[in-house]
Amino acid sequence: GCGLSVSRLGELFLETTGQTPRSWLEQARLKRAQDLLVTTGLPVKLVASACGYHDQRHFATRFRKFFGITPGQRRAERQ
């Protein structure tokens, strides 16, 4: 271990990044999904799964909340 409690590590992470570890991880997953939607022809369901979302509806909801558009709309923008 690193000699820190989980709560202290979370506090330091928040101080350093301005985000909780959970929100930082979700943001990273959603940005990766966006990259896959724009650069590949993978179906949205596979993009969701590749980024750790096993429920496509939940993925679409979180994606829309973060980016303001649906995964399908983001995909359509690349064309």
Side-chain angles (χ1 to χ4, degrees), residues 9-22:
L9 185 59
E11 289 171 5
L12 291 172
F13 192 94
L14 181 61
E15 288 174 16
T16 303
T17 67
Q19 296 179 299
T20 64
R22 177 175 281 175

Side-chain angles (χ1 to χ4, degrees), residues 9-43:
L9 185 59
E11 289 171 5
L12 291 172
F13 192 94
L14 181 61
E15 288 174 16
T16 303
T17 67
Q19 296 179 299
T20 64
R22 177 175 281 175
S23 64
W24 181 89
L25 179 59
E26 182 169 40
Q27 182 177 25
R29 291 166 61 197
L30 290 168
K31 286 180 177 180
R32 176 67 178 141
Q34 177 177 242
D35 288 344
L36 290 173
L37 290 166
V38 172
T39 63
T40 73
L42 288 173

Side-chain angles (χ1 to χ4, degrees), residues 53-68:
Y53 293 91
H54 303 294
D55 179 336
Q56 187 176 345
R57 269 186 269 156
H58 178 69
F59 166 67
T61 299
R62 301 304 300 159
F63 191 95
R64 185 175 187 181
K65 183 173 182 170
F66 188 77
F67 290 109

